[in-house]
Amino acid sequence: MAITPHNIPTLPAPAQGSHATAAHGNRIVHISGQVGQDESGEIVAGGLAAQTERALLNVALALEAAGASLDDLAKLTSYVVDWDPSMFDELARGISAAGAQQPYPDMALTLVGVTSLFTPEMLIEIEAVAVADA
């Protein structure tokens, strides 16, 4: 499966990810929003960074369960409670920690600030779209 990142030539490249991705495969995999929940069903302690790391790990696990891999990712959308740009460093720590375990490919990224998620202790939810071969 191939994901090709593309950027708009007349705009600055994004700090992370790309403006667009073109995916070539024969199966689209939609990953429901994943949160910082561990195997026991508990939300991990450690704030936004820890929950981000765990949510990204859960995305990878969901991809594996669907017969896909991180290399098949075309798009990630993150929903962060009470987002403010001052939170970027903490978010980046979580992304870096997850990437140290399993490198994430260049893909289209969207971050949306929200008022709340399913339960009050959840700080981030990440959904994904992948395109994989059969």
Side-chain angles (χ1 to χ4, degrees), residues 66-88:
S69 74
L70 291 174
D71 290 334
D72 300 321
L73 279 175
K75 172 94 169 86
L76 282 179
T77 302
S78 300
Y79 302 91
V80 180
V81 173
D82 296 328
W83 173 255
D84 182 271
S86 67
M87 299 164 68
F88 186 78

Side-chain angles (χ1 to χ4, degrees), residues 108-132:
L109 301 169
T110 299
L111 188 151
V112 180
V114 297
T115 304
S116 65
L117 292 170
F118 186 68
T119 64
E121 63 272 9
M122 292 178 184
L123 302 175
I124 187 167
E125 184 168 342
I126 302 172
E127 63 183 22
V129 176
V131 179

